[in-house]
């Protein structure tokens, strides 16, 4: 892996930016000295392993089959019969995981006994025996791997988590508006028409049940009586002043906004998927205020725009939401537990794969994923990552950039 030059350069620059330090200086190597020498290739595009006149060509073959090792052997430039060679390959992966591969003759080559699964990143140890002689080679074949010290990882805000079970919640996004529940308002009128002697509340004032609102002198009895609030709430309408005749008009309105109703428009393509009792996570447009609720009413007819209005009761005890606000809501459609999931924030692309970066010690390496269902912040993993693996959840793009700078290759 060609990281000796690029890794300290990149991580040093990133660390300097994060910590506000002056940029470090590095000696610039020539292109020839900065890059590792490319391995010598054979006629089957495999790596040549040479000792004297004995040559082993080791290739990863994957045309029409899962990736596997195939080996061709020559002695003094002449093909050696596969059955005359004893061969073993050990792949040592990150975390000291070993794959032991034996070989059997097939046509003019030796065929490996197991699939070379992704990533193709390992130390390769080859042991061959031919004509009473033993031959040994070893080389590094790393890809998608980088080492970053913990101090630097902390400075770059690289965060990790342990892969394991999760509960996925499938949702649909809908839009609507907040309204006041029909039973959350009280209209205050004079029981007996008369002169308003005093108004004790102002518009927007919070009142409790039983608080004094008005004193009115009856026109018939000329006796004064008090009007009190029938509920907790705020004065949302006032049309009364001292000295005025009450008549039979609306004087005050008391509104209880501790509970609101989200009137959500659900269009035909999603109508059949939403049920009463569905959980709702709501966000007020234009700010970050969120609230939760439950769908408890569904209209039986559609609107002019073909949407069906579904109503969710919203807890507003903190008073951060108001009637009339436009909202966006995620309505839960299904909930299911999966044995293995990762956070979507950790996903990156690598070659033709979707990957996460596994962390072992201070080293990070790609893990090619087989994805399942995706819901919310989670994605189900069907293969490519074991339960209990530590993986990067935040700022994985930093690792991707470092790996791309290092030029780690995929050697077949």
């Amino acid at each position: 892996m060609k990281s000796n030059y690029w890794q300290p350069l990149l991580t040093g620059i990133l660390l300097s930016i994060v910590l506000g330090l002056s940029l470090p200086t590095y000696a610039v190597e020539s292109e020839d000295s900065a890059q590792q020498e490319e391995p010598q290739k054979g006629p089957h595009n495999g790596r040549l392993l040479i000792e004297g006149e004995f040559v082993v060509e080791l290739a990863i073959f994957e045309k029409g089959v899962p990736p596997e090792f195939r080996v061709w052997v020559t002695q003094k430039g002449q093909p050696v019969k596969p059955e005359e060679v004893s061969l073993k390959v050990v792949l040592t992966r990150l975390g000291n995981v070993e794959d032991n591969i034996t070989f059997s003759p097939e046509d003019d080559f030796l065929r490996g006994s197991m699939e070379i699964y992704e990533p193709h990143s390992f130390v390769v140890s080859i042991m061959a025996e031919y004509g009473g002689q033993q031959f040994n080679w070893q080389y590094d074949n790393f890809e998608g791997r980088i080492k970053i010290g913990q101090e630097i990882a902390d400075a770059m805000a690289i965060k990790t988590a342990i892969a394991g079970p999760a509960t996925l919640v499938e949702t649909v996004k809908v839009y609507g508006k907040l309204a006041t529940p029909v039973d959350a308002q009280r209209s205050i009128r004079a029981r007996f028409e008369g002169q308003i002697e005093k108004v004790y509340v102002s518009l927007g004032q919070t009142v409790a049940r039983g608080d004094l609102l008005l004193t009115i002198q009856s026109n018939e009895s000329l006796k004064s009586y008090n009007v009190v609030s029938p509920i907790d709430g705020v004065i949302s309408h006032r049309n009364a002043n001292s000295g005025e005749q009450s008549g039979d008009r609306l004087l005050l309105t008391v509104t209880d906004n501790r509970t609101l109703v989200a009137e959500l428009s659900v269009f035909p393509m999603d109508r059949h998927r939403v049920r009463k009792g569905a959980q709702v996570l709501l966000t007020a447009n234009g700010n970050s205020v969120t609230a939760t609720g439950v769908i408890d009413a569904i209209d039986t007819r559609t609107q002019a725009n073909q949407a069906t209005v579904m109503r969710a009761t919203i807890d507003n005890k903190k008073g951060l939401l108001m009637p009339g606000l436009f909202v966006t809501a995620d309505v839960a459609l299904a909930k299911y537990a999966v044995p293995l999931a990762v956070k979507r924030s950790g996903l990156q692309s690598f070659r033709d794969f979707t990957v996460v970066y596994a962390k072992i010690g201070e080293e990070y390496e790609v893990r090619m994923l087989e994805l399942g269902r995706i819901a919310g912040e989670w994605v189900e993993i069907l293969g490519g990552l074991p339960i209990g693996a530590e993986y990067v959840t935040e700022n994985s793009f930093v690792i991707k950039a470092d790996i791309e700078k290092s030029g780690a290759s995929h050697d077949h």
Side-chain angles (χ1 to χ4, degrees):
M1 184 172 71
K2 299 177 280 189
S3 62
N4 293 337
Y5 169 67
W6 286 111
Q7 180 184 334
L9 176 60
L10 178 64
T11 52
I13 290 173
L14 289 171
L15 181 58
S16 299
I17 292 171
V18 172
L19 299 181
L21 305 175
S22 59
L23 289 175
T25 58
Y26 294 91
V28 179
E29 300 181 22
S30 68
E31 187 71 17
D32 290 338
S33 61
Q35 293 185 354
Q36 292 182 357
E37 185 180 349
E38 289 295 323
Q40 188 176 351
K41 297 286 187 175
H44 303 93
N45 200 35
R47 180 186 287 252
L48 292 182
L49 306 166
I50 303 171
E51 187 168 329
E53 296 179 309
F54 184 73
V55 179
V56 170
E57 181 181 356
L58 178 66
I60 295 180
F61 183 86
E62 52 187 333
K63 292 181 181 178
V65 296
E68 62 185 24
F69 274 136
R70 293 190 177 183
V71 173
W72 292 263
V73 181
T74 60
Q75 172 75 15
K76 296 182 180 181
Q78 297 301 312
V80 172
K81 293 180 180 180
E83 57 269 20
E84 295 178 359
V85 180
S86 175
L87 187 72
K88 180 182 178 182
V89 171
V90 178
L91 305 180
T92 305
R93 297 177 178 269
L94 186 62
N96 292 319
V97 175
E98 288 191 353
D99 297 333
N100 292 278
I101 304 172
T102 57
F103 289 79
S104 58
E106 188 167 315
D107 297 329
D108 64 339
F109 60 87
L110 289 159
R111 183 178 183 182
S113 60
M114 65 175 287
E115 177 184 343
I116 312 302
Y117 57 89
E118 297 283 2
H120 294 174
S121 181
F122 27 63
V123 176
V124 185
S125 302
I126 305 100
M127 291 140 281
E129 185 176 341
Y130 171 70
Q133 287 186 284
Q134 291 188 341
F135 305 88
N136 295 277
W137 297 273
Q138 187 175 86
Y139 63 90
D140 295 342
N141 187 86
F142 295 152
E143 68 162 350
R145 183 189 295 192
I146 206 76
K147 185 173 183 178
I148 301 176
Q150 191 58 49
E151 256 185 67
I152 295 176
D154 291 342
M156 293 189 293
I158 295 173
K159 296 182 180 179
T160 64
I162 303 301
T167 299
L168 277 62
V169 180
E170 184 182 358
T171 63
V172 62
K173 193 174 292 294
V174 298
Y175 304 90
K177 186 172 69 172
L178 293 180
T180 303
V182 292
D183 60 348
Q185 283 190 331
R186 296 293 186 273
S187 299
I188 308 300
R189 302 174 186 271
R191 183 177 181 184
F192 305 105
E193 293 183 16
Q195 181 174 313
I196 300 171
E197 292 186 339
K198 190 169 183 178
V199 180
Y200 297 96
V201 293
S202 57
L203 190 65
Q205 181 177 332
T206 300
V207 296
R209 181 178 181 180
D211 282 357
L212 185 60
L213 304 179
L214 302 160
T215 298
I216 300 174
Q217 184 187 60
S218 170
N219 289 338
E220 291 187 12
S221 67
L222 298 181
K223 291 183 179 180
S224 297
Y225 65 92
N226 293 327
V227 179
V228 299
S229 178
I231 61 171
D232 296 339
V234 297
I235 305 301
S236 57
H237 173 83
R238 172 177 162 166
N239 187 27
N241 295 293
S242 300
E244 296 177 347
Q245 282 293 315
S246 67
D248 63 352
R249 73 180 191 272
L250 176 65
L251 302 177
L252 299 170
T253 301
V254 182
T255 303
D256 182 0
N257 281 333
R258 292 175 299 178
T259 299
L260 297 175
V261 172
E263 298 178 336
L264 306 172
S265 295
V266 181
F267 287 91
M269 64 183 297
D270 297 313
R271 164 67 183 84
H272 68 285
R273 306 169 70 196
V274 180
R275 298 283 186 270
K276 279 188 178 182
Q279 296 289 323
V280 174
L281 176 62
L282 175 146
T283 304
N285 293 2
N287 60 51
S288 58
V289 177
T290 61
T292 58
V294 173
I295 298 288
D296 49 25
I298 300 177
D299 279 4
T300 56
R301 59 182 181 179
T302 59
Q303 304 296 303
N305 62 357
Q306 296 301 298
T308 300
V309 174
M310 301 189 181
R311 294 176 172 83
T313 302
I314 303 298
D315 183 355
N316 189 40
K317 289 185 176 64
K318 294 182 179 179
L320 300 177
L321 300 170
M322 294 180 292
L325 276 176
F326 290 102
V327 295
T328 301
D330 290 313
V331 181
L333 302 177
K335 182 185 293 187
Y336 35 86
V338 298
L340 180 59
V342 298
K343 290 190 174 181
R344 295 173 70 180
S345 58
L347 299 180
Q348 290 291 342
S349 60
F350 183 85
R351 300 204 325 264
D352 297 329
F353 300 96
T354 298
V355 305
V356 291
Y357 291 101
K359 180 178 185 290
I360 298 177
E362 293 187 341
E363 292 188 277
Y364 300 81
E365 188 176 76
V366 292
R367 292 293 180 265
M368 288 69 170
L369 303 177
E370 182 183 351
L371 304 183
R373 294 166 289 189
I374 299 174
E377 66 173 336
W378 296 100
V379 55
E380 181 183 15
I381 302 302
L382 303 178
L385 189 73
I387 293 176
E390 185 176 5
Y391 71 100
V392 177
T393 58
E394 302 293 336
N395 291 322
S396 56
F397 69 90
V398 174
I399 300 171
K400 178 181 178 179
D402 209 353
I403 286 174
E404 289 177 347
K405 284 286 187 182
S406 75
S409 63
H410 186 58
D411 182 17
H412 279 192

